[in-house]
Structure formats: C-alpha cells, structure tokens
Amino acid sequence: MHPVIDRFIHYTQIDTQSAHKSDSYPSTKKQLDLAKLLVVELLALGLEDAAVDQYGYVTATLPPNTEREGVPVVGFLAHMDTSPDLSGKDVNPQFIEDYDGSIVVLNAEKGITMSPEEFPDLKKYIGKTLITTDGTTLLGADDKAGIAEIITAVEYLLDHPEIEHGTIKIGFTPDEEVGSGVDHFDVEKFGADFAYTIDGGEVGEVQYENFNGARAELTIHGRNVHPGTAKLKMRNALLIGMELNELLPVFERPQFTEKYEGFYHLYHFNGTVEEANMTYILRDHDRDKFELKKRLIQQAADFINTKYGETIVEIKITDQYYNMREEVEKQPQIMAFAIQAVKSVGLTPKIDPIRGGTDGSQLSYMGLPAPNIFTGGHNAHGKYEFIPTFAMEKAVETLVKIAELVAKG
Ligand SMILES: [Zn+2]
C-alpha cells in the first residue's frame, strides 16, 4: 500500500472530534492524542524541531536542500479535528477495490448504502479504489487525509534529495470544525511567507476565494396586552420580525443561490409578543455587494423604526471574515505555483469559490495568505464520506511539485 494510505488509515483510528461548547483550547483533549503521535512521527522522519505547543498546534520544519538564495518559505497546513456533526470514534474504514459504479454497501447488517444516483460523484471513480465508512461514523478524510498527504510529501522529499526545495513549514491545527482553528496561531513564529491549507475536496481542486461574512443580530421590542383588549395597543414583536424579513430580497436566500451568488440567511428566530430575537448571516464573495447587504438590512430596521415612530428594532452587525482573494492576489505566484503543480501531475485544476469561510481566509488576513488545495475527499462530516486512494496519491505529488516549483522561483 502507498504510505499515504497507511498513514491515513492509522490516523482515522484516533478520535479527534472537536466540540462547539467548550471552555478549553483545544475544545477537546483527545485532539492532543493525534498531536502527540504526529510529533513522534515527524521527529522519526528527522524534523528535529517538531513539537506541540500549549494550544495543541503541531509545527515542524523541513530545512532547505537548495543553495539558491531568496527562496520563499512555504507552509503546508491541515487540521486534526473532525466535525462535531457525527462521531469519529471507532472508525472502521472499508476498501472498495476496482469500484464498478454500483450501489456501495456501507453496512450490510444495518442496510446502509450509498448510491451513485444520490451521489453522482461516485461515477467519476469507476475502476478506482475507494475508502468509505462502515455507515456508523464519519471517515475523517476531512482533514486527516490532508495530514497524511503533507507528511508523505515531506517523507518523499527526504527520500529524494535530488529534488531541490526551500524551507518548508508544517502546521497541524485543532478546532477548525468549530471555527476557531487559528485563534491562537502565531503567524510570525510559524515563519512562512505563504501557505496552503490541504483541506479541500475533489481531486484537482484549488480554492482562493471564499465568502465575506457578517452576522446581524436583531432584537425587536413589542408590547404585550391581553388579546381581548388589544385593539390599537398591542405591538407583536413576532409579526414585526416577519414584516422585517419580508423587506429582504426573497431570491437572496441560501436555497435559491449558488456559485458567486450571496445571501441573507435567517437561521434563528424566536420570541414572544413582548420581545423577539432574529439572527441572520450575510454572505457575498464581492466586497461591495457584501457591504450593500449590510446596509440593506440596516435600512430595513430603520424603516420599521420610522414606520412605528420609535426604536423598536435594535440591530447589531458584526463582520466575521473576508474573502481571502484580496490578500492572495497580492502575490500572484501563490496561486500560480498551485495551479502549475496540479497541472504537472496530470490533473485539471478546478478553481471554484468556497461558499463558506476557511482557516485560510482568517490566516490570509493575519498576514499568511493561504489558499486551499484538495485532499481528494467527498461528503465530509457524515457517514457518506469517502476518498479515492489515487486522489490522495495525487495530492502528495502536488505538494512535492509545489515545493519544487517554489525553489525554482
Ligand atoms: Zn476540513
């Protein structure tokens, strides 16, 4: 078996699920089990400074073997945790060799299957070997495949000193799935000029655009009166909330948008006649359209207040993250290296915008531009997660190629 597969299977055996509500960092202690194992593995490969810090960040350096000067320091990043959405304990990976395009039986006993009708991407992998779950847990290819690919690429470079490369920094982070993966990440100490997160999906994918994101929290103050004597006295906060929602563009909701289309998403609404609370997230790849969305929801609140003649709607809008494109494009070679590497291993680059945020977007605004590269995995965060083995091998080749291209300049 290819070493990347062995490594990946090994890592899936360690439960690293993160948790949304936690007072500690990392959010779950068990993520450190994998962190410690990775340090041992990196030390065994000869990366002498491999270590885990107080927050659970694993870092290591592959020293340069080139004489060339001015070669940028490149970072490879992946996250250790798996999604809180489904258990990552007792993961039992299944190998489907020479996949024939039929329905995949994940668990015969429990009758859990995965059909190419529902998951058409399966058809792309006829004749390939797939690794799936047993239908009871997630697989954890997101992002243990990324970790396995990075370490295997480093091992390959160590075994092939004829391939010249500059300094390569490795970083494995906790808590990505709960949105705090880089909260304590020290960009300066990490010391890379730019980086790549290896946390994407389908083979060939390279991503450098994500949403700009903001959250709008609204409080609506109503006035409760006994409904029997409410005439011209009651002000129903719930109905005013609905009225406000109707002022926002109907077709700019998640269920009607794709690709570069942004949205207003009402994801929380509760309350009473007396008081109601609504929370929206606003998303757009385009900075101007993003700002416009923030203005429009503010204007909707202002309109309601004007209409009722007093401040009954309070609104608080908070920016969450920005599209990394602005930062990544300042150094065009970052994407150029990735695209050229993907092509040179015989793949067609797939450059689609991310409809969400990533650790890379936060890092980009912390001074470390970090587009995202495929791991090869599909259907992350659930029991239908799978990864074709050849895609993992291609990811390793891509990373080796990036190291080589960066050294050539
Ligand atoms: Zn991930």
Side-chain angles (χ1 to χ4, degrees):
M1 220 175 340
H2 194 288
V4 73
I5 312 299
D6 282 330
R7 280 199 174 92
F8 170 61
I9 297 296
H10 185 192
Y11 305 153
T12 63
Q13 302 308 298
I14 300 152
D15 179 12
T16 58
Q17 189 180 40
S18 50
H20 280 294
K21 289 206 169 97
S22 169
D23 296 328
S24 64
Y25 197 96
S27 64
T28 54
K29 276 247 169 341
K30 56 190 174 185
Q31 296 180 61
L32 299 174
D33 297 342
L34 179 58
K36 287 173 200 153
L37 181 140
L38 294 172
V39 170
V40 171
E41 192 172 346
L42 292 165
L43 288 171
L45 281 178
L47 306 196
E48 289 166 13
D49 66 344
V52 54
D53 74 6
Q54 76 215 76
Y55 302 110
Y57 293 110
V58 174
T59 51
T61 310
L62 176 66
N65 69 355
T66 178
E67 306 276 284
R68 277 199 50 184
E69 280 177 27
V71 174
V73 176
V74 58
F76 290 140
L77 300 161
H79 66 89
M80 297 180 285
D81 64 318
T82 60
S83 168
D85 292 347
L86 190 65
S87 171
K89 190 171 181 282
D90 300 326
V91 173
N92 182 19
Q94 317 279 313
F95 282 80
I96 316 277
E97 274 166 43
D98 194 13
Y99 174 57
D100 62 3
S102 62
I103 292 175
V104 177
V105 178
L106 297 175
N107 194 312
E109 204 178 305
K110 295 198 162 78
I112 303 168
T113 60
M114 172 165 66
S115 78
E117 308 266 276
E118 277 177 283
F119 300 102
D121 283 335
L122 279 170
K123 293 179 194 156
K124 296 175 184 167
Y125 305 118
I126 292 173
K128 307 282 195 216
T129 297
L130 307 179
I131 305 175
T132 71
T133 73
D134 70 357
T136 64
T137 64
L138 47 68
L139 180 63
D142 177 15
D143 187 24
K144 287 166 182 165
I147 298 174
E149 289 156 3
I150 292 170
I151 297 187
T152 308
V154 166
E155 182 183 53
Y156 188 91
L157 288 168
L158 287 164
D159 289 345
H160 293 82
E162 72 280 8
I163 302 174
E164 281 192 39
H165 60 82
T167 303
I168 292 168
K169 291 279 180 180
I170 293 156
F172 300 132
T173 59
D175 282 348
E176 190 271 350
E177 301 290 2
V178 292
S180 44
V182 296
D183 282 6
H184 300 278
F185 193 82
D186 189 337
V187 164
E188 204 158 314
K189 196 171 142 214
F190 187 59
D193 294 300
F194 54 86
Y196 301 91
T197 55
I198 320 305
D199 190 21
E202 183 174 346
V203 65
E205 202 174 70
V206 186
Q207 299 166 310
Y208 74 115
E209 291 182 90
N210 60 281
F211 274 145
N212 296 291
R215 183 173 50 234
E217 292 160 288
L218 293 93
T219 306
I220 300 159
H221 302 288
R223 190 192 303 129
N224 194 20
V225 179
H226 187 287
T229 56
K231 189 165 183 180
L232 302 180
K233 296 191 191 86
M234 179 193 278
R235 203 168 62 203
N236 188 333
L238 294 163
L239 293 180
I240 293 169
M242 289 162 71
E243 187 183 344
L244 185 141
N245 187 61
E246 294 308 311
L247 296 171
L248 302 175
V250 172
F251 287 108
E252 294 182 34
R253 294 178 186 165
Q255 59 268 46
F256 303 122
T257 56
E258 60 174 359
K259 296 177 183 153
Y260 284 104
E261 294 163 344
F263 56 72
Y264 303 81
H265 175 43
L266 173 64
Y267 74 96
H268 171 258
F269 184 9
N270 76 352
T272 59
V273 173
E274 190 65 26
E275 185 177 299
N277 296 286
M278 307 170 87
T279 315
Y280 289 84
I281 51 170
L282 315 179
R283 298 288 186 262
D284 211 301
H285 292 99
D286 183 280
R287 191 65 168 256
D288 292 337
K289 289 183 186 165
F290 172 65
E291 295 299 332
L292 187 68
K293 284 190 166 57
K294 293 196 296 188
R295 279 207 301 280
L296 202 132
I297 197 164
Q298 177 70 55
Q299 283 168 357
D302 294 347
F303 172 80
I304 298 279
N305 287 335
T306 308
K307 179 177 167 184
Y308 289 89
E310 57 180 301
T311 304
I312 59 174
V313 181
E314 289 177 74
I315 181 165
K316 189 175 142 216
I317 302 171
T318 319
D319 284 3
Q320 295 172 292
Y321 51 79
Y322 303 105
N323 189 346
M324 71 169 114
R325 178 177 179 160
E326 286 175 36
E327 293 301 312
V328 174
E329 277 184 343
K330 288 179 187 165
Q331 299 182 61
Q333 76 276 19
I334 301 173
M335 276 300 285
F337 289 137
I339 291 167
Q340 204 187 330
V342 168
K343 283 183 183 160
S344 70
V345 304
L347 299 170
T348 308
K350 250 183 116 251
I351 306 166
D352 291 326
I354 303 170
R355 290 180 60 78
T358 69
D359 273 358
S361 70
Q362 290 184 53
L363 287 170
S364 296
Y365 284 88
M366 287 160 71
L368 183 65
N372 193 29
I373 290 179
F374 68 95
T375 60
H378 284 264
N379 304 340
H381 301 188
K383 61 187 175 193
Y384 300 111
E385 193 180 5
F386 73 89
I387 191 163
T389 57
F390 90 98
M392 297 177 72
E393 293 167 23
K394 283 292 175 194
V396 174
E397 288 175 42
T398 301
L399 299 185
V400 168
K401 205 72 200 176
I402 287 175
E404 192 182 338
L405 292 169
V406 171
K408 282 184 185 151

